[in-house]
Amino acid sequence: MEKQWHQLTSTEVLTALNSDLERGLSSAEVANRLAQYGYNELREKAREPLWKKFLNQFKDFLVLILLVASVISLAVGEVADSLVIIAIVVLNAALGVFQEAKAEKALEALKEMSAPTSKVVRDGGISTIPSRELVPGDIILLDAGDYIPADVRILESFNLKAQEASLTGESVPVEKECAVVAAEAPLAERHNLGFMSTVVTYGRGKAVAVGTAMNTEIGKIAAMLQTVTEDSTPLQKKLAEFGKGLGVICLAVCAIIFAMGLWKGYQDGALTFDEVQMMLMTSISLAVAAIPEGLPTVVTIVLALGMQRMARKNSIMKKLHAVETLGSISVICSDKTGTLTQNQMTVVKVFTPGRMYAVSGEGYNPAGQFTHQELPVEAAAETELDLLLRSAVLCNDAQLKAAADNKTWSIIGDPTEGALVVAGYKGGYTQSQLAGQFPRLQEIPFDSGRKMMTTLHRFDRQLRTFTKGAPDVLLSRCTAIATGGSVRPLTEAEKAVIQAANKEMASSALRVLAVAYRDFDSKPDMTNPADIETQLVFIGLLGMIDPPRLEVRAAVELCKGAGIRPVMITGDHPDTAFAIAKELGIVTGSAQVLTGKDLDAMSPEALKQAGETTGVFARVSPEHKVAIVEALRQNKHIVAMTGDGVNDAPALKKAGIGVAMGITGTDVTKETADMVISDDNFVTIVAAVEEGRVIYTNIKKFIYFLLSCNASEVLVIFFAILFGWPLPLLPIQLLWVNLVTDAFPALALGVEKKEPNVMRLKPRDPAEPLLGGKLKTLIVVQSLAIAVTVLVSFQYALASYGGDLTVARTFAFITLITTQITCAYAARSEYYSAFSLGFFSNKFLNGGVALSFGLLLVSVYGPLHLIFKTIEPGLHEWGFLLAVAVIPFLITESAKWLLKLSAKPDQSMDVSN
């Protein structure tokens, strides 16, 4: 019988699970339990077997027609033709299965990269592990914004609340507690339990895993909440529609060619059954060859491979459509702390009433000292400094950790809070020492709306709350001041001095936090922050620096050159925000800075106008972020918005691309976001935009290549019939051309390296057609050049070899393949010539071309040349064939050059190479 964890005490639960609240499980015990219970992941539906995938390839309408045609061919005695056609169809099917499998593997790898993590206590220390590695008995730390990774029993709760609507239907967050719940309580009323896949919306707590994987409430109802199902992306849908339209056109053209062939045969009196069969097979083969039915699959592969490249550069794209959107981004709204700055906060100035202290030291190393007027001071001897440092360490959830060598230090938790802990250490106050002296009883967690955090402690025989937060917000809640060893009412003059000190620090690009306290005679009700965070006693200010990332300034310049406007959105002080933004080049001169209060006073229309010129928004709330995104969207911008807190999720969802922070981001923001940057760096966002542009450009390249090649095949047959010539290509030759040139060079174009001007082009308009006027022109030029060259080669062979049709068709067959694979080099860019890009810079294209040429040689030499009805050409023939193979390539390159010359000044791009 299943244990009723909710009716057991915390001690009974830990005993039953053989776990320890302070030390957690040992590594050896975790390994044993992992072997016993398996990974903490819901069972997924069985994958489609390989044989079924293979059979699915034959569901295509045109492939079915081709199979019917091969049966007809077999029935009339054309055994060789029939077998070759079937072999080619099977090869195409195998290639399709291979491409699908490759795309699936790429997407699976990306899914693993974005897998959720959990903070647990193991071997007496805190560590972060993949949630799938949780086992029953693990002690889990829960914070606002986390997904609860398993079914858990709550052991400690500090105002802990969870949103359980996905499981119980409860519309409001449920308060969590440690007390025993009655045995008969329904699921929604078991307030001492947390459930897998629900979200912590407020507070923090500690819990023990009691059920994992399918042994959870969510597992019982087989809710696959952790499995992301990808719909077709807008580009894939656009390509599918494009392909259907193209298919109809191709079928119509092939029907016309079939009708023209019959009419010509009828007019010439040579309309035999063999001629009808030949025209039918040619028309069907041409239709199959002309329609790029593999486009959606190739697009999926290119998108997935692009996403893998981005993941290696710290950008984890959670959704395929986000890759397409990246190329259209025109505004990047970024947080300041950690994204534009180094996230190595260090307290460098401290203000107490009447005194300003300097603090030495770097980063999280606790070595350093306090000085006043350049003279060292002992924190314990300075009454207000002593109180300020103790308060800052107590009202804090970060932990300072030393590496094994005691030389390297790191912070677990928020970097800003970590800076306060380090400052306390420099003054001689350790967390463990203060926690033992002044135990925390309760807390009100930080909230981006309030911009404050409060903790309640037993302090010198009384109860005291410590509050830290934004100086302007906290100062408005203060009615008294601690100075000279006593407390007295706070005057307006003293407020002005504090505000001046705050402004002085903020204008030096320091992030400033204020600290205050309040005493209580009895334990207060902490459920209403407004009643607690008022009538406070001001203690002091701490100014910390978070230096700008050195690499960000160049990334900002790159953005501006690409027509992308970077915007800083922060909860920090306006002066601090402006100083950092100016240093990074986001704003210049005396640019306007808007605060949350300014936004509150603005009409939507005024905000819409201000959004076009404002580079810095300071002191903003999550609600303001949503309003800013909406204003930018109304101005037709595609916006990338960064976020880390649980309340940032609405803004991320509204933005064109929601970007979550991988280090400081909560599970909720990561789940909502389209993209997670694992290093929290603005440069990574810009690199992702660049990669997104490259991917989209490459997709256009192979579409251009495929369409021009396929159109050339149609034109060859069309012109031959129009001029009354014999068919230059046989059906099996057309199908072989389709296999040889469509697969390998096209896929290689999808992984082409970035062009030099990719970040000097304007953002792509999402409404623009897949193929612009320039590419359409190049498709027409290239397809006509290939078709004419093939027909010239065909006629040359007829004239030079006594009208031998086999020789002439061999020339046409080889010329068609060689011209198409040489034109793959011209398709590498619509702006740059193949000569400037270099012929050996895309090793995948060189490999694809070599493979295609090898398959061509296989078809004209050895036993296969009999099946394909070709001759075995000698050196003399190859001299001519290789000479004409480059003609369409040179014509296309010349067309690119002419188009560049004729471009209008405002349309021209910086293509100096």
Side-chain angles (χ1 to χ4, degrees):
M1 182 179 172
E2 185 180 320
K3 278 190 179 292
Q4 299 297 303
W5 300 107
H6 60 285
Q7 63 182 107
L8 301 179
T9 65
S10 298
T11 304
E12 289 171 338
V13 171
L14 288 171
T15 302
L17 292 167
N18 194 22
S19 187
D20 184 273
L21 179 62
E22 300 304 324
R23 293 198 56 78
L25 299 175
S26 67
S27 297
E29 183 59 27
V30 168
N32 291 335
R33 295 191 186 190
L34 200 57
Q36 180 183 352
Y37 296 104
Y39 284 114
N40 177 38
E41 51 193 6
L42 298 177
R43 200 174 299 126
E44 297 188 23
K45 62 182 180 182
R47 291 188 179 184
E48 193 174 56
L50 201 63
W51 63 267
K52 199 168 184 180
K53 286 181 182 177
F54 183 75
L55 290 180
N56 285 338
Q57 305 297 317
F58 296 93
K59 289 181 179 179
D60 186 89
F61 177 67
L62 290 173
V63 174
L64 291 174
I65 291 177
L66 195 57
L67 289 174
V68 170
S70 68
V71 171
I72 295 171
S73 187
L74 185 65
V76 297
E78 295 290 340
V79 178
D81 281 12
S82 177
L83 292 177
V84 169
I85 291 169
I86 291 172
I88 291 172
V89 168
V90 170
L91 273 173
N92 267 318
L95 187 62
V97 171
F98 169 75
Q99 289 173 333
E100 277 187 27
K102 194 172 182 66
E104 271 184 14
K105 283 183 180 178
L107 292 173
E108 189 62 36
L110 289 163
K111 186 178 165 187
E112 288 177 11
M113 288 176 191
S114 60
T117 57
S118 300
K119 213 170 357 179
V120 298
V121 179
R122 286 183 178 175
D123 296 314
I126 297 173
S127 56
T128 301
I129 64 166
S131 294
R132 71 190 295 264
E133 295 178 8
L134 280 173
V135 295
D138 259 325
I139 304 298
I140 305 167
L141 305 181
L142 300 172
D143 289 292
D146 289 350
Y147 273 93
I148 297 179
D151 279 6
V152 300
R153 170 66 160 83
I154 306 300
L155 304 176
E156 291 180 2
S157 173
F158 296 96
N159 299 313
L160 190 67
K161 295 181 183 181
Q163 177 58 264
E164 298 177 347
S166 60
L167 182 66
T168 66
E170 185 71 42
S171 59
V172 295
V174 179
E175 290 189 24
K176 294 297 175 181
E177 55 190 28
C178 308
V180 172
V181 176
E184 66 276 7
L187 197 65
E189 295 177 13
R190 296 178 186 179
H191 300 323
N192 59 4
L193 296 181
F195 304 105
M196 185 181 193
S197 292
T198 59
V199 182
V200 177
T201 58
Y202 195 76
R204 66 180 181 88
K206 192 179 280 190
V208 60
V210 296
T212 58
M214 300 306 288
N215 297 318
T216 58
E217 293 299 328
I218 214 85
K220 289 175 188 174
I221 58 175
M224 307 303 290
L225 296 184
Q226 291 180 339
T227 302
V228 179
T229 303
E230 288 288 352
D231 189 15
S232 294
T233 74
L235 177 60
Q236 287 171 318
K237 290 175 181 176
K238 193 185 288 187
L239 279 175
E241 292 171 8
F242 179 74
K244 284 179 185 176
L246 188 63
V248 170
I249 293 170
C250 286
L251 284 173
V253 171
C254 292
I256 291 169
I257 288 173
F258 178 64
M260 286 175 61
L262 294 183
W263 177 251
K264 282 284 184 184
Y266 174 75
Q267 280 190 324
D268 297 341
L271 191 60
T272 63
F273 178 77
D274 289 344
E275 288 293 323
V276 173
Q277 183 193 351
M278 173 64 78
M279 282 308 307
L280 177 64
M281 292 296 294
T282 301
S283 300
I284 292 171
S285 302
L286 192 59
V288 173
I291 299 172
E293 66 279 348
L295 267 183
T297 307
V298 178
V299 168
T300 303
I301 293 173
V302 171
L303 286 173
L305 291 177
M307 289 165 76
Q308 283 187 322
R309 286 199 305 274
M310 294 163 81
R312 289 194 289 270
K313 298 176 183 176
N314 300 316
S315 303
I316 300 168
M317 307 303 298
K318 296 183 64 212
K319 298 163 188 174
L320 278 176
H321 76 77
V323 182
E324 303 166 27
T325 310
L326 281 171
S328 300
I329 285 174
S330 55
V331 177
I332 300 177
C333 295
S334 174
D335 281 328
K336 176 181 71 69
T337 306
T339 309
L340 297 169
T341 57
Q342 294 178 21
N343 214 20
Q344 279 271 336
M345 302 292 285
T346 308
V347 174
V348 292
K349 281 191 178 181
V350 174
F351 170 83
T352 60
R355 287 206 167 201
M356 182 74 82
Y357 299 91
V359 189
S360 64
E362 291 184 0
Y364 296 137
N365 191 325
Q369 65 176 1
F370 290 82
T371 58
H372 174 59
Q373 295 179 346
E374 299 185 1
L375 296 175
V377 297
E378 290 294 328
E382 306 276 316
T383 306
E384 282 75 32
L385 180 59
D386 169 72
L387 176 61
L388 177 61
L389 292 177
R390 286 196 291 174
S391 304
V393 173
L394 287 168
C395 186
N396 205 307
D397 285 331
Q399 292 187 25
L400 181 63
K401 289 274 186 180
D405 59 3
N406 280 324
K407 293 180 180 178
T408 307
W409 298 79
S410 61
I411 287 292
I412 295 177
D414 182 75
T416 302
E417 288 196 316
L420 303 183
V421 172
V422 173
Y425 269 70
K426 290 175 182 176
Y429 308 103
T430 65
Q431 290 171 295
S432 55
Q433 165 205 343
L434 291 178
Q437 286 181 311
F438 314 110
R440 184 187 294 192
L441 304 178
Q442 216 167 342
E443 71 181 62
I444 304 173
F446 175 81
D447 180 276
S448 54
R450 293 175 15 254
K451 297 185 177 66
M452 289 183 290
M453 172 186 175
T454 297
T455 55
L456 174 66
H457 299 261
R458 196 169 297 285
F459 193 87
D460 296 339
R461 298 182 183 179
Q462 62 186 349
L463 296 173
R464 175 173 287 184
T465 57
F466 294 104
T467 301
K468 72 174 188 294
D472 47 350
V473 176
L474 189 137
L475 193 56
S476 67
R477 309 292 183 93
C478 292
T479 56
I481 186 170
T483 179
S486 62
V487 176
R488 53 183 173 78
L490 179 63
T491 66
E492 289 300 320
E494 287 169 328
K495 269 190 178 182
V497 171
I498 295 168
Q499 288 168 341
N502 176 40
K503 189 172 182 65
E504 178 190 335
M505 285 195 268
S507 59
S508 299
L510 301 187
R511 184 176 191 188
V512 188
L513 285 181
V515 183
Y517 76 91
R518 181 181 175 184
D519 290 329
F520 292 86
D521 295 326
S522 59
K523 189 175 180 180
D525 180 6
M526 301 283 281
T527 58
N528 188 0
D531 294 337
I532 302 299
E533 296 167 341
T534 188
Q535 300 177 32
L536 302 176
V537 179
F538 178 82
I539 304 173
L541 304 172
L542 297 110
M544 60 204 80
I545 190 164
D546 184 12
R549 292 181 183 266
L550 300 177
E551 66 274 23
V552 166
R553 186 174 181 87
V556 167
E557 288 302 314
L558 191 63
C559 276
K560 291 181 174 181
I564 301 168
R565 185 160 62 92
V567 174
M568 179 191 289
I569 301 181
T570 178
D572 216 338
H573 191 279
D575 291 342
T576 307
F578 179 77
I580 295 288
K582 189 174 181 181
E583 186 173 345
L584 292 174
I586 293 173
V587 295
T588 55
S590 56
Q592 183 184 24
V593 179
L594 290 180
T595 65
K597 287 183 179 179
D598 297 329
L599 298 182
D600 289 335
M602 281 184 172
S603 66
E605 186 58 37
L607 178 55
K608 182 180 173 182
Q609 293 177 4
E612 287 297 283
T613 56
T614 305
V616 178
F617 295 89
R619 284 285 186 258
V620 296
S621 67
E623 293 76 19
H624 293 136
K625 284 189 173 185
V626 174
I628 294 166
V629 172
E630 182 57 37
L632 291 168
R633 284 182 59 183
Q634 287 180 10
N635 286 325
K636 307 299 182 186
H637 288 293
I638 305 298
V639 183
M641 168 67 79
T642 69
D644 51 13
V646 62
N647 291 334
D648 288 332
L652 266 60
K653 201 165 187 178
K654 186 171 273 292
I657 292 279
V659 183
M661 302 295 106
I663 299 172
T664 58
T666 61
D667 286 345
V668 172
T669 54
K670 291 176 186 177
E671 185 70 19
T672 305
D674 305 291
M675 165 181 162
V676 179
I677 53 172
S678 58
D679 60 353
D680 291 12
N681 194 336
F682 179 82
V683 172
T684 303
I685 303 173
V686 179
V689 171
E690 182 177 64
E691 188 65 43
R693 289 186 172 198
V694 171
I695 291 169
Y696 194 86
T697 303
N698 285 350
I699 288 172
K700 287 172 63 176
K701 288 173 186 175
F702 70 67
I703 292 172
Y704 149 51
F705 172 71
L706 287 179
L707 291 185
S708 61
C709 290
N710 294 354
S712 67
E713 294 160 20
V714 174
L715 290 173
V716 166
I717 303 298
F718 178 79
F719 286 136
I721 294 175
L722 186 66
F723 298 145
W725 298 345
L727 288 177
L729 296 160
L730 295 172
I732 57 171
Q733 292 173 342
L734 279 170
L735 291 172
W736 189 251
V737 170
N738 186 49
L739 179 70
V740 167
T741 60
D742 273 16
F744 310 113
L747 195 54
L749 286 170
V751 291
E752 180 72 39
K753 293 178 182 178
K754 69 176 182 180
E755 296 179 35
N757 71 330
V758 70
M759 289 299 278
R760 294 199 293 268
L761 302 174
K762 294 178 182 178
R764 178 178 57 83
D765 183 353
E768 78 174 19
L770 196 58
L771 299 174
K774 186 174 182 180
L775 275 184
K776 286 178 182 176
T777 302
L778 290 175
I779 288 171
V780 171
V781 170
Q782 186 163 293
S783 58
L784 279 172
I786 292 173
V788 170
T789 304
V790 170
L791 290 172
V792 167
S793 178
F794 177 70
Q795 285 296 326
Y796 166 81
L798 279 177
S800 303
Y801 293 88
D804 191 323
L805 198 53
T806 302
V807 175
R809 282 175 175 158
T810 303
F811 268 58
F813 177 58
I814 293 174
T815 303
L816 184 58
I817 292 176
T818 54
T819 52
Q820 288 186 359
I821 60 178
T822 54
C823 280
Y825 290 94
R828 290 180 62 194
S829 173
E830 61 178 296
Y831 301 109
Y832 294 88
S833 74
F835 300 100
S836 64
L837 292 174
F839 288 95
F840 300 100
S841 54
N842 185 341
K843 60 182 180 181
F844 299 104
L845 181 59
N846 291 334
V849 166
L851 185 55
S852 295
F853 193 75
L855 289 172
L856 166 62
L857 294 179
V858 166
S859 63
V860 295
Y861 290 105
L864 284 183
H865 91 274
L866 298 173
I867 296 173
F868 285 99
K869 296 182 174 59
T870 64
I871 63 158
E872 295 182 316
L875 289 176
H876 175 71
E877 286 78 19
W878 275 113
F880 172 82
L881 291 167
L882 293 178
V884 299
V886 298
I887 293 173
F889 164 78
L890 295 173
I891 290 172
T892 303
E893 286 295 312
S894 301
K896 280 199 288 186
W897 180 71
L898 290 171
L899 286 170
K900 177 184 170 184
L901 289 180
S902 62
K904 295 177 182 178
D906 61 333
Q907 293 176 328
S908 62
M909 303 299 171
D910 182 4
V911 285
S912 52
N913 290 329

